[in-house]
Amino acid sequence: MQTPEKVRTAADDREAWEQLTLLPFVERRPEARETFRTQGGLPLERIYTPEHVEGIDYARDIGFPGQFPYTRGPYPTMYRAQPWTMRQIAGFGTADDTNERFRFLIAQGQTGISTDFDMPTLMGYDSDDARSEGEVGREGVAIDSVDDMHDLYAGIDLEQISVSMTINPSAWILLAMYLVVAEERGFDRRKLSGTIQNDIIKEYVSQKEWVYPPRPAMRIVRDSITYSAQHLPRYNPVNVSGYHTREAGSTAIQEVAFTLAAGIAYVDEVVKAGIDVDDFAPRLSFFFVSQIDFLEEVAKFRAARRVWAKIMKERFGAKKPESMRLRFHCQTAGVSCTAREPLNNIARTAIEALAAVLGGAQSLHTNGYDEALSIPSEPAMKIALRTQQIIAEETGVVGTIDPLGGSYALEKLTAEIEAGCFEYFAEVDKRGGVVQCIEDNFFQLELADAAYDLHRRKEAGERQIVGVTKYRDDSPNPALDLHHVDEAAAARQLERLRKTKANRDDAAVRAALEEVVRVAKTDENIMPATIAAARARATGGEIINALRPIFGTYVEKPVF
Amino acid sequence: MPIKVLVTKPGLDGHDRGAKIVARALRDAGMEVVYTGLHQTPEMIVTAAIQEDVDVVGVSILSGAHMTIFPKIMDLLKAREVDDIVVIGGGVIQDADIPKLKALGVREIFNAEATTQDLIDGIERIVAEYGRDRTRRAAAHAR
Amino acid sequence: MISHRVHRDLARAISSVENRIVELPAALRALAAHGHVPASHHSDVLGVTGPPGAGKSTLVDRLIEGLRTAGETVAVIAVDPSSPFTNGAVLGDRVRMQRHAGDPGVFIRSMASREAGGGLAPATRDAVRLAEAAGFDVVIVETVGVGQIELEVVAVADLILVVTVPALGDSVQTIKAGLTEIADIFVVNMADRAGANRTALDLKHMVHEGRRDIPVLQTIAQDGTGLPELLATIAERRGAEDSNAVRAVRFEVVRRARDAAASAALALLNSPDALAVLERLRAHDITRNDAIDSLLTIFGGPVHAH
């Protein structure tokens, strides 16, 4: 970005400024702290100048949106064409309950839908499993079979609205159910657009939703990606996610590095299965958090794009631009929301959302002010959506692409995060790859250390939380209309499941499950047999359990 | 003698950040922490508490299922004739539920705002008040 | 039949010796007074040792499963390291053995190593005797697995399983010293990984050079592969005549030598060079592994646990 000449001048100028202006001033009025760091622990300089961007070449490292290395954005027009997809996640109770919330959100102007499942569905237990007691429909919607899936998206045009499903170890089953619903309603598979999270790697690292050990689980993800590459041209079969890792206490660098390392692992698997990288890489999508440390976050999104572009081009030899451009969904940070003075969360969320937009997100979920208290109420979701609409319609930030690009501070942070990522990739390669690193607890240990460090910095007062650790008053919280857990929903779901089981052909279910088991023992793609089982109304839990004897059940070795 | 604590995480969700930070902080405070891992049923928790003969069972719940889980833990402890192990809770627990949990015999609730030092102090105080030494001494001698 | 009440009483008895509230004979008398088991009852004690990450806990979980299927009751004493700095510990071995919760025929107890080195806690031996008195058919002792050879297990176990994983290069050499002396059975776990056959072969060669007949078996504890053979081998060797006295003497010599080495290492940790390394770690200049490598080099290393 700078000639050596200019850099030298800048350094001289800065030193002069420090001597003449800064030092006398600091002597009179000392700074509040000796060192300032980002939330992720990167040291912050007092001021950034041309000398800090010395190694950065504009054309090579920053460039133009829609062009390698995509630092400034994946598309040449970005929000000037259309704003990001406003995608508020929803899910609770039975399929009918959640369907009603989807219709409310679409009526409010939401442009995509996003589904949150309850813990039993996420973990592959049916609602009538003993392990599910107390959790059916509580933190998300309960889906046991295709019949539930039909009601979940009833009245929604699946060729028009993009549908996202946040689910992992049992994702391939939910994808199968979704495809059966589309088929039975007469939609064209090739027109289905949407995303399924299906990112098993980060489960072992941070979110901790798993069924099988990593190696068979990777095979299932590989099968769903290859199936999707062949049959679902508009569908994103995996959403490689850093959100959960950051929420679990990682640094910003770890969030990007672990996520893109997972991306590398998926690409490796699918390429090994004989699919050309350019035939599926364009459909890989990503998911990051937007935390409260504004500059670091904007830099993080830009760095993620640049790093991924380099990986795809240099490591995998991708040729299509679409294979190199990283597209991501973003959610504001759940952990930044507080239970005390919950309306403050609206301000936090707005700042985080703005960082996501200035970082070039393709879709965004903003948290409700009641995030720390319960799953979101309708009024909380409405304000959250309005926050995004205000950014898009009122602030004017949609007019210029990557408007913070070129800032010395931002470019320096972007480069630091990029460098940190490549250091991690080298370490992961040295240790035998991502799956090996999971089995050896490498990521888990790195994360545990970072989380503990962040926690200690918070307790030491380096990171304050307004209304909680600072400016705290003990006045009671305002009375909020919180989401009310419908304790009767579980009973309704059990009745739905009973009905499904009563109305199906048990012999056909048994045969379909046997076929899934047979395929699992071979190297055939597991998707077609799973779709057939879903069509026969096999439940998610039945499919999961049929495969446990073959794949095993994962037990973590916890590290601290 | 070191205080022994069972740190446990019931329910199907994977939110173990808090439980692990607590485990690490208690270790650094010189305690012996038995960590059960995620996805524990009340049976697993009570089995571990008894076999490990811990002073305190710390249950971390963020799934909202605390009013299902705690009664089962307390009932099972009672059924197994164990009355000298203290149960405490942490995580996301609404203020309104705290008196109900205390009525069940849950000794203390540490919410998300409690610092690790609060927790360490709390456990040390509870163990001191409880006099676990005494019950162990009685158990160790032939009747 | 072992009842839940036995679990409670045994657990309390172990605490009482672990915390030195009473000595073992008193604790045994107390347990006996509760009337659980005839005094003549004998347990077979199985030691499971090997480097960290070898899958010892998962293997123990499979052994429990196999022994229970055969109708035997099992107590497990699993030892994890204490922090030498705070004396605290996080004990996580039982995570992998939880499917036996609720089965009164299985008792699992974690122990912090406290001040003891060598893979066992000071009270491990006492805990084994108490589990025996409580009536368990088999007592399994799982060692710390800090990467050194944990010879102390010799002092408590009748039969010792040394667990290792497929190694690359010459790593087998690093476990050579001492292990053939204590192993009754070698287990190459995670046998689906590359190098398993070669590791097994190397071990067989090592065994061949020695004087004792030590079977070398391959397992995948995660899915149970090889467990029937392992259980059969254990059954065959249990109760066979052993050379306990010889092993115990060797163990005592090694223990004393190592105590001396440990004292020297602790002194070196306070040397200016070592303090400088620790300071760099504190400043996040170097990683934990770098720090360990540097310190071991200062101590005359490098020494690698694999």
Side-chain angles (χ1 to χ4, degrees):
Chain A
M1 240 167 118
Q2 302 297 330
T3 62
E5 182 68 20
K6 273 191 180 166
V7 170
R8 263 196 308 280
T9 317
D12 291 347
D13 289 351
R14 178 181 50 77
E15 275 163 30
W17 166 77
E18 281 174 356
Q19 292 303 322
L20 293 174
T21 310
L22 176 69
L23 280 179
F25 193 87
V26 169
E27 264 166 34
R28 285 199 311 277
R29 235 186 120 183
E31 294 175 328
R33 282 206 301 272
E34 217 163 274
T35 52
F36 287 75
R37 281 186 286 182
T38 64
Q39 189 203 43
L42 293 174
L44 280 174
E45 298 289 334
R46 180 177 291 109
I47 180 112
Y48 288 84
T49 71
E51 64 188 312
H52 292 102
V53 295
E54 189 186 355
I56 297 172
D57 180 81
Y58 182 82
R60 185 193 64 202
D61 300 318
I62 302 174
F64 291 91
Q67 267 184 9
F68 188 86
Y70 301 97
T71 309
R72 308 202 75 171
Y75 303 113
T77 55
M78 293 301 287
Y79 310 135
R80 291 170 68 98
Q82 58 175 43
W84 59 95
T85 303
M86 299 181 191
R87 196 192 290 278
Q88 299 297 96
I89 199 166
F92 55 89
T94 64
D96 294 330
D97 301 331
T98 297
N99 181 261
E100 199 178 311
R101 173 66 69 89
F102 284 151
R103 290 165 183 244
F104 166 80
L105 288 166
I106 291 169
Q108 297 297 321
Q110 179 161 316
T111 48
I113 58 177
S114 180
T115 320
D116 223 349
F117 299 94
D118 69 358
M119 285 312 311
T121 306
L122 293 172
M123 292 290 288
Y125 295 105
D126 283 343
S127 298
D128 57 3
D129 193 294
R131 295 294 309 252
S132 304
E133 197 188 338
E135 308 210 37
V136 175
R138 183 178 284 275
E139 290 191 307
V141 60
I143 301 295
D144 289 312
S145 75
V146 161
D147 293 341
D148 296 328
M149 194 67 117
H150 264 294
D151 293 342
L152 181 62
Y153 300 123
I156 295 167
D157 185 343
L158 303 181
E159 289 182 7
Q160 293 305 317
I161 289 256
S162 88
V163 174
S164 160
M165 295 192 279
T166 301
I167 191 155
N168 294 284
S170 48
W172 97 102
I173 299 173
L174 275 283
L175 176 59
M177 289 180 184
Y178 185 72
L179 294 176
V180 172
V181 166
E183 164 195 300
E184 291 178 353
R185 284 175 62 190
F187 292 122
D188 179 358
R189 271 181 192 197
R190 306 192 66 81
K191 291 187 183 150
L192 298 177
S193 72
T195 303
I196 192 155
Q197 195 164 78
N198 201 22
D199 169 21
I200 199 66
I201 288 174
K202 61 92 175 58
E203 296 299 334
Y204 302 107
V205 177
S206 56
Q207 181 162 252
K208 313 293 175 83
E209 290 161 13
W210 52 59
V211 177
Y212 310 123
R215 287 172 202 265
M218 281 296 280
R219 174 257 173 105
I220 293 172
V221 174
R222 179 201 68 192
D223 285 356
S224 47
I225 296 175
T226 53
Y227 183 87
S228 186
Q230 287 152 355
H231 302 280
L232 310 170
R234 296 183 56 206
Y235 197 80
N236 303 318
V238 60
N239 189 231
V240 196
S241 307
Y243 182 89
H244 320 85
T245 298
R246 187 68 177 281
E247 289 275 293
S250 84
T251 65
I253 287 176
Q254 288 170 339
E255 181 193 354
V256 180
F258 295 3
T259 305
L260 300 189
I264 291 172
Y266 297 131
V267 174
D268 266 335
E269 282 290 313
V270 178
V271 167
K272 260 191 269 166
I275 312 269
D276 187 273
V277 66
D278 283 317
D279 286 347
F280 69 94
R283 305 278 5 139
L284 299 176
S285 63
F286 293 83
F287 172 27
F288 297 107
V289 75
S290 192
Q291 255 285 356
I292 192 73
D293 195 316
F294 188 81
L295 266 188
E296 181 176 47
E297 293 303 280
V298 178
K300 177 188 80 181
F301 301 127
R302 301 172 84 247
R305 270 194 302 271
R306 186 151 86 209
V307 172
W308 185 246
K310 289 184 179 176
I311 291 169
M312 292 311 292
K313 186 174 183 175
E314 290 156 17
R315 184 172 182 133
F316 291 108
K319 305 228 164 27
K320 280 192 197 167
E322 297 89 327
S323 301
M324 301 175 210
R325 70 174 182 216
L326 176 145
R327 299 165 302 136
F328 71 96
H329 172 68
C330 199
Q331 180 171 339
T332 57
V335 292
S336 73
C337 291
T338 61
R340 189 176 293 275
E341 300 187 12
L343 296 182
N344 297 347
N345 297 327
I346 298 173
R348 294 188 179 99
T349 296
I351 292 164
E352 292 165 0
L354 186 60
V357 169
L358 293 176
Q362 276 54 65
S363 68
L364 179 60
H365 167 102
T366 32
N367 288 325
Y369 52 74
D370 50 8
E371 174 71 19
L373 300 167
S374 66
I375 71 168
S377 64
E378 220 158 82
M381 270 301 95
K382 187 168 170 179
I383 291 182
L385 180 59
R386 291 285 182 261
T387 303
Q388 294 197 42
Q389 290 164 341
I390 288 167
I391 293 172
E393 305 293 338
E394 299 184 19
T395 65
V397 295
V398 296
T400 297
I401 298 165
D402 187 31
L404 301 185
S407 141
Y408 304 125
L410 189 73
E411 295 299 350
K412 176 69 177 162
L413 281 172
T414 304
E416 282 180 350
I417 293 170
E418 176 186 1
C421 287
F422 280 104
E423 267 174 44
Y424 265 118
F425 300 152
E427 183 69 25
V428 168
D429 288 341
K430 199 179 90 188
R431 289 168 178 271
V434 167
V435 172
Q436 191 65 49
C437 281
I438 287 170
E439 290 177 343
D440 296 341
N441 272 323
F442 170 69
F443 297 118
Q444 295 93 317
L445 269 168
E446 289 287 306
L447 171 60
D449 278 353
Y452 196 53
D453 181 56
L454 179 61
H455 186 78
R456 298 231 300 220
R457 283 160 57 204
K458 275 185 180 156
E459 294 203 334
E462 185 188 312
R463 311 272 334 159
Q464 297 286 1
I465 302 162
V466 171
V468 179
T469 62
K470 202 164 186 178
Y471 311 118
R472 175 161 173 166
D473 71 37
D474 284 308
S475 57
N477 274 346
L480 295 175
D481 182 14
L482 292 180
H483 172 81
H484 169 72
V485 175
D486 178 1
E487 301 290 348
R492 289 203 303 277
Q493 181 59 26
L494 288 174
E495 176 55 24
R496 293 172 61 95
L497 178 56
R498 197 196 56 74
K499 232 186 254 168
T500 293
K501 285 186 175 172
N503 292 336
R504 66 186 188 177
D505 175 351
D506 283 338
V509 172
R510 268 197 306 278
L513 288 173
E514 279 167 21
E515 175 62 7
V516 176
V517 169
R518 185 196 66 75
V519 170
K521 290 178 181 163
T522 70
D523 207 33
E524 286 171 48
N525 193 309
I526 204 164
M527 283 307 299
T530 310
I531 293 168
R535 196 183 291 121
R537 269 55 183 173
T539 64
E542 286 168 339
I543 298 172
I544 289 277
N545 287 334
L547 295 177
R548 281 188 203 264
I550 301 157
F551 290 154
T553 296
Y554 182 72
V555 183
E556 119 175 289
K557 183 175 176 71
V559 290
F560 300 89
Chain B
M1 85 192 178
I3 294 173
K4 193 169 178 183
V5 183
L6 187 78
V7 174
T8 186
K9 174 75 197 58
L12 295 178
D13 66 292
H15 295 109
D16 60 356
R17 175 185 180 173
K20 288 174 101 170
I21 286 176
V22 162
R24 192 161 167 166
L26 297 182
R27 176 196 65 188
D28 289 350
M31 299 186 195
E32 290 179 353
V33 179
V34 179
Y35 183 71
T36 64
L38 292 159
H39 311 145
Q40 300 294 294
T41 62
E43 174 68 55
M44 289 170 166
I45 294 170
V46 169
T47 297
I50 293 173
Q51 293 178 351
E52 299 293 350
D53 192 37
V54 292
D55 300 295
V56 174
V57 178
V59 184
S60 167
I61 301 194
L62 294 92
S63 70
H66 46 272
M67 295 311 294
T68 315
I69 300 279
F70 276 110
K72 289 191 172 167
I73 292 174
M74 302 313 288
D75 286 350
L76 259 177
L77 278 172
K78 219 167 285 163
R80 303 269 161 91
E81 299 172 78
V82 172
D83 55 5
D84 61 345
I85 294 177
V86 177
V87 177
I88 62 176
V92 179
I93 292 172
Q94 290 81 357
D95 289 348
D97 288 338
I98 293 176
K100 292 182 218 161
L101 291 172
K102 288 197 169 167
L104 289 171
V106 177
R107 182 78 172 217
E108 196 72 75
I109 298 292
F110 294 89
N111 68 15
E113 286 179 16
T115 65
T116 46
Q117 196 56 48
D118 293 342
L119 191 61
I120 292 162
D121 294 345
I123 288 174
E124 283 174 349
R125 176 176 45 79
I126 287 167
V127 171
E129 283 168 12
Y130 221 76
R132 198 75 205 296
D133 265 14
R134 186 175 38 78
T135 57
R136 276 185 177 153
R137 230 172 270 277
H141 286 99
R143 288 161 214 164
Chain C
M1 183 59 201
I2 291 171
S3 68
H4 285 297
R5 188 176 291 187
V6 173
H7 282 206
R8 185 197 63 183
D9 295 344
L10 171 59
R12 287 176 174 172
I14 293 174
S15 302
S16 71
V17 293
E18 191 180 25
N19 293 311
R20 305 205 172 126
I21 292 168
V22 294
E23 296 294 317
L24 178 65
L28 282 169
R29 276 197 304 279
L31 204 54
H34 295 182
H36 294 316
V37 188
S40 61
H41 175 76
H42 168 79
S43 305
D44 283 335
V45 183
L46 206 58
V48 177
T49 187
K56 293 190 292 294
S57 299
T58 309
L59 191 72
V60 169
D61 176 63
R62 289 288 176 187
L63 292 175
I64 298 171
E65 179 185 39
L67 292 164
R68 287 301 289 144
T69 309
E72 299 199 81
T73 55
V74 186
V76 177
I77 314 291
V79 186
D80 266 331
S82 294
S83 158
F85 306 106
T86 67
N87 298 320
V90 176
L91 314 169
D93 285 334
R94 66 179 301 128
V95 170
R96 291 175 168 256
M97 307 173 195
Q98 301 210 328
R99 57 201 174 114
H100 311 289
D103 173 2
V106 179
F107 177 93
I108 297 159
R109 176 66 174 245
S110 317
M111 282 189 131
S113 64
R114 300 208 175 164
E115 71 270 30
L120 294 186
T124 306
R125 212 194 280 224
D126 292 350
V128 168
R129 294 281 84 90
L130 287 165
E132 179 175 58
F136 287 91
D137 297 322
V138 179
V139 182
I140 299 177
V141 178
E142 184 189 327
T143 69
V144 168
V146 284
Q148 358 172 339
I149 304 141
E150 291 162 336
L151 299 174
E152 279 80 348
V153 72
V154 176
V156 299
D158 301 319
L159 191 71
I160 294 167
L161 270 61
V162 174
V163 186
T164 185
V165 285
L168 301 168
D170 62 0
S171 304
V172 168
Q173 296 302 320
T174 62
I175 59 166
K176 188 171 181 175
L179 277 189
T180 42
E181 316 301 328
I182 68 162
D184 294 302
I185 300 172
F186 273 119
V187 180
V188 180
N189 191 29
M190 304 185 190
D192 50 342
R193 292 203 184 167
N197 285 331
R198 193 174 141 205
T199 303
L201 214 59
D202 286 352
L203 284 169
K204 279 181 187 156
H205 275 294
M206 278 168 48
V207 168
H208 193 68
E209 288 162 16
R211 273 181 295 277
R212 294 194 308 133
D213 160 35
I214 309 172
V216 179
L217 297 167
Q218 297 190 35
T219 58
I220 307 171
Q222 183 136 300
D223 66 7
T225 303
L227 258 293
E229 293 78 4
L230 177 58
L231 285 159
T233 309
I234 291 171
E236 191 186 296
R237 305 253 155 171
R238 264 166 72 182
E241 201 191 334
D242 64 16
S243 53
N244 240 344
V246 174
R247 286 201 308 216
V249 166
R250 281 185 178 143
F251 147 77
E252 189 56 29
V253 170
V254 172
R255 186 182 68 80
R256 289 189 197 178
R258 191 157 67 203
D259 284 354
S263 304
L266 282 172
L268 275 168
L269 267 177
N270 286 318
S271 70
D273 285 356
L275 291 173
V277 171
L278 293 173
E279 193 46 52
R280 291 182 60 202
L281 175 66
R282 216 169 279 129
H284 300 287
D285 276 355
I286 49 172
T287 67
R288 287 178 181 194
N289 284 335
D290 292 343
I292 291 167
D293 286 347
S294 306
L295 289 171
L296 289 175
T297 307
I298 293 171
F299 296 169
V303 182
H304 288 285
H306 61 235

